[in-house]
Amino acid sequence: MHIEFLEIGGKENLRPYWQKYLSKALLLVFAVDSSDPERFPVAKEHLHEVLRLDPILPLMVLANKQDLPSSCTITDLHDALSLSDAGERALFLIGTHVKKGDSELSSGVQDARDLIIQMVSGSRFRAV
């Protein structure tokens, strides 16, 4: 299986490309620094802007930096991003952390990888 990931940033000059790439996407993976709650309102705004472009596209939110003591809980991040307003789509919120130089994937990253493979291999989600 070959899975292609495309990272598109949130800068204003990149936003016109969102719709172009979302039309071919099987899943939106949205990563958030869970140790930086001051940026949650901006993350929420951009996330919901993207979600409006495709009301059924499955969403996986990666709550990164869960290994830091300053990280918020998954429940707090769910509330801060208003994920209950994400519509009638498949929604997954997974706590992750990645350390530089660490050759082993954290259990959250492994879970995300396994779920992505399951989702794009044609199980219960739409195909493009």
Side-chain angles (χ1 to χ4, degrees):
M1 175 184 295
H2 174 81
I3 298 176
E4 191 172 317
F5 289 90
L6 177 62
E7 178 182 359
I8 303 175
K11 290 186 178 180
E12 195 164 339
N13 63 334
L14 297 174
R15 292 181 201 158
Y17 296 102
W18 289 356
Q19 179 63 46
K20 176 183 177 184
Y21 291 106
L22 280 180
S23 67
K24 297 179 175 120
L26 298 174
L27 167 71
L28 174 63
V29 179
F30 192 83
V32 179
D33 180 345
S34 62
S35 70
D36 191 359
E38 291 179 6
R39 295 179 66 190
F40 291 171
V42 173
K44 173 186 168 183
E45 177 185 334
H46 292 308
L47 174 61
H48 286 272
E49 183 177 343
V50 173
L51 295 179
R52 282 190 293 275
L53 296 173
D54 189 331
I56 62 170
L57 183 66
L59 171 64
M60 178 182 294
V61 176
L62 301 180
N64 198 24
K65 299 186 182 179
Q66 284 291 297
D67 57 321
L68 299 180
S70 60
S71 292
C72 73
T73 66
I74 296 294
T75 303
D76 289 341
L77 185 60
H78 182 281
D79 294 344
L81 296 178
S82 297
L83 293 179
S84 57
D85 297 336
E88 298 295 319
R89 69 182 75 241
L91 171 65
F92 307 91
L93 177 55
I94 301 173
T96 62
H97 69 274
V98 179
K99 292 183 181 180
K100 286 186 179 182
D102 193 356
S103 61
E104 300 233 357
L105 295 177
S106 71
S107 62
V109 173
Q110 289 176 16
D111 291 345
R113 179 200 58 202
D114 294 346
L115 186 55
I116 290 168
I117 290 169
Q118 177 186 357
M119 292 174 74
V120 300
S121 67
S123 57
R124 2 182 285 244
F125 300 96
R126 72 176 189 185
V128 173

